[in-house]
Amino acid sequence: MAFDPQQVALSHHNLANHLRGAAGDIGQIWAHFLAAAVVTYQMGGDISSYVQLGARPRTTFAEIASIVSEVDGVHLADLVDRLPKRAPDGQAALDEILKLVG
């Protein structure tokens, strides 16, 4: 299977929606939404769908990467390191996203 960051972002977004619908853990829900947003942002994509999500918990990119890595085969920090650098790193991308949507 070819490396497809857009598919990775969509998968995180879909998992977050599934967890939200199943009244899952709010930390996991936000981690997957924000993982999708960081990948989308770094790829130069539209993050407007994340604007409507409401209040986000205070978190760091390292915390998000740790939470989403609980899913077998997910290595968010490694993925973000391989993406184009719209922001210099995952934390900078997250900071920018939170400024844009906050």
Side-chain angles (χ1 to χ4, degrees):
M1 179 168 151
F3 170 69
D4 184 352
Q6 292 174 329
Q7 187 61 44
V8 170
L10 180 61
S11 293
H12 281 292
H13 191 270
N14 288 343
L15 179 55
N17 279 327
H18 172 76
L19 291 169
R20 184 169 53 178
D25 177 76
I26 191 69
Q28 289 184 356
I29 293 166
W30 277 114
H32 287 284
F33 273 132
L34 292 172
V38 167
V39 172
T40 300
Y41 181 83
Q42 288 293 74
M43 294 299 299
D46 180 13
I47 62 166
S48 63
S49 64
Y50 300 100
V51 174
Q52 312 291 316
L53 297 176
R56 281 160 289 287
R58 289 187 171 271
T59 191
T60 66
F61 180 74
E63 291 168 331
I64 292 167
S66 176
I67 292 169
V68 301
S69 72
E70 294 173 11
V71 175
D72 208 21
V74 173
H75 307 286
L76 182 63
D78 294 340
L79 168 65
V80 170
D81 285 345
R82 296 185 303 179
L83 295 176
K85 303 294 184 215
R86 184 172 180 188
D89 57 34
Q91 185 61 53
L94 178 62
D95 292 344
E96 189 61 29
I97 290 163
L98 294 177
K99 278 195 282 186
L100 291 169
V101 302

